[in-house]
Amino acid sequence: MRSWTTRWLSRALHQNWQAASATAENKPRTYSRFISVVSGFPKNLAQSKYKPGKMGDDAWFIANTKTADVLGVADGVGGWRSYGIDPGEFSMVLMRSCERLVKFSRFDPIKPVSLIASGFRELQDNRKCILGSSTACIVVFNREDSSIYTANIGDSGFIIVRKGEIVHRSEEQQHYFNTPFQLSLPPPGHTDVLSDSPESANTTTFPVCNGDVILVATDGVFDNVPIKLLVDTLQRVEGENDQVKLQMCANSIALMARSLSFDSKFLSPFSQNARRNNINAMGGKPDDITVVLATVAL
């Protein structure tokens, strides 16, 4: 597994570094901004072909305008695979639609839920019939007021660390255990599929400070890495402007999540949550892993 992990990480880092660097170069250095990097793995390394902006059934994007920086992640619902539907296509097209809307400034930086809604409408109107479901989390840094505006639907999410403590975080949305809120476009005849509206997303606003660390990730991270371990790792890059050091931190989190997800003897956050729901579980939860990491530079 180690050789596959190394090969995947090397290829992914090369592409992700190019994307993050291109995004950074588009902004004058005097702008308040996010300094962002990406890391992650698909659950099935040997069976996955690398595509920029995609980690297995997960998808992500980083984009910016003159007024805002935007981070996004989405997690395709894997259950559709048994119906012959690629779960990763829905999440990838959703994130690409959101990215395109940002790049053409067709969004309101203080209303990220509208960005999700517009991206979802593009899915619905797509000439190719895109089927499936996905969670989604968008974090927007608005330069005008140095605040972030967020929208989260499902169990992907974000945390903000300042001085070694979580000062703001997303709220997980679940219908019931391991069944998150999700945007859905089911095949004809599937009337019993969970389908939440973009407007059901939890939205927040929070003023950020110089040096704050922001982690946006899919549940492959939060289900496997204890929150204290995440905070301990993130506080090491508070105030860090060096993308290389940020990339090392993101890689560390992704590798931790992957290692713990396959540890059958580890009492993971997912297993603890299962036990709270009267399910006798042990071990990590193998899953796709996406880590988008940013620091705030004011």
Side-chain angles (χ1 to χ4, degrees):
M1 186 176 76
R2 182 174 299 175
S3 61
W4 275 107
T5 301
T6 302
R7 190 181 308 171
W8 177 274
L9 188 59
S10 296
R11 181 182 296 179
L13 290 184
H14 176 70
Q15 296 291 338
N16 296 343
W17 178 263
Q18 286 183 326
S21 296
T23 300
E25 288 170 0
N26 288 337
K27 293 174 292 195
R29 298 292 293 178
T30 54
Y31 274 12
S32 299
R33 65 198 185 281
F34 277 165
I35 301 172
S36 310
V37 296
V38 184
S39 190
F41 298 99
K43 179 172 68 175
N44 299 312
L45 281 173
Q47 300 175 10
S48 297
K49 294 182 179 180
Y50 179 76
K51 292 183 179 180
K54 193 172 186 292
M55 303 284 186
D57 297 339
D58 288 356
W60 60 270
F61 78 94
I62 297 173
N64 70 84
T65 67
K66 290 182 178 180
T67 60
D69 288 339
V70 187
L71 314 176
V73 299
D75 179 3
V77 176
W80 286 110
R81 191 169 281 107
S82 61
Y83 293 90
I85 295 171
D86 176 7
E89 184 177 34
F90 187 102
S91 57
M92 182 180 69
V93 175
L94 176 64
M95 290 292 95
R96 285 184 175 176
S97 296
C98 291
E99 180 180 19
R100 183 171 57 256
L101 289 165
V102 171
K103 287 183 175 179
F104 284 95
S105 298
R106 295 171 57 189
F107 82 111
D108 186 340
I110 67 173
K111 295 181 179 178
V113 69
S114 297
L115 177 59
I116 294 177
S118 296
F120 185 56
R121 279 195 298 273
E122 288 201 0
L123 269 174
Q124 293 172 311
D125 296 338
N126 199 299
R127 291 181 180 179
K128 179 182 178 182
C129 187
I130 307 295
L131 302 175
S133 308
S134 177
T135 66
C137 181
I138 300 287
V139 175
V140 180
F141 172 59
N142 184 32
R143 296 188 225 288
E144 185 175 337
D145 59 5
S146 296
S147 293
I148 64 161
Y149 294 80
T150 75
N152 183 62
I153 182 165
D155 58 0
S156 295
F158 68 89
I159 59 175
I160 302 177
V161 172
R162 180 187 301 163
K163 297 181 180 179
E165 296 183 354
I166 295 177
V167 292
H168 190 53
R169 66 185 301 176
S170 56
E171 292 184 15
E172 188 177 274
Q173 294 179 310
Q174 296 273 3
H175 288 285
Y176 44 88
F177 175 67
N178 204 29
T179 307
F181 280 37
Q182 54 203 261
L183 305 174
S184 299
L185 289 177
H190 288 252
T191 58
D192 58 345
V193 173
L194 288 173
S195 183
D196 300 289
S197 70
E199 289 74 22
S200 67
N202 179 261
T203 60
T204 69
T205 304
F206 186 77
V208 291
C209 295
N210 186 54
D212 284 354
V213 184
I214 300 174
L215 170 68
V216 187
T218 54
D219 65 334
V221 174
F222 297 115
D223 281 344
N224 289 298
V225 184
I227 197 68
K228 185 179 185 306
L229 185 54
L230 278 177
V231 173
D232 288 346
T233 304
L234 293 171
Q235 69 173 342
R236 299 171 192 165
V237 291
E238 284 188 48
E240 185 58 69
N241 293 337
D242 186 340
Q243 276 192 306
V244 174
K245 293 180 180 178
L246 290 177
Q247 189 66 66
M248 290 173 64
C249 180
N251 296 350
S252 174
I253 292 171
L255 286 165
M256 277 193 296
R258 180 164 177 81
S259 177
L260 292 172
S261 73
F262 288 99
D263 187 341
S264 61
K265 297 181 179 180
F266 172 59
L267 186 59
S268 64
F270 179 81
S271 293
Q272 293 178 44
N273 195 18
R275 292 184 177 195
R276 284 191 287 268
N277 285 272
N278 301 314
I279 300 172
N280 187 18
M282 189 67 179
K285 180 192 175 189
D287 202 351
D288 303 309
I289 293 160
T290 300
V291 174
V292 180
L293 179 64
T295 55
V296 178
L298 299 181

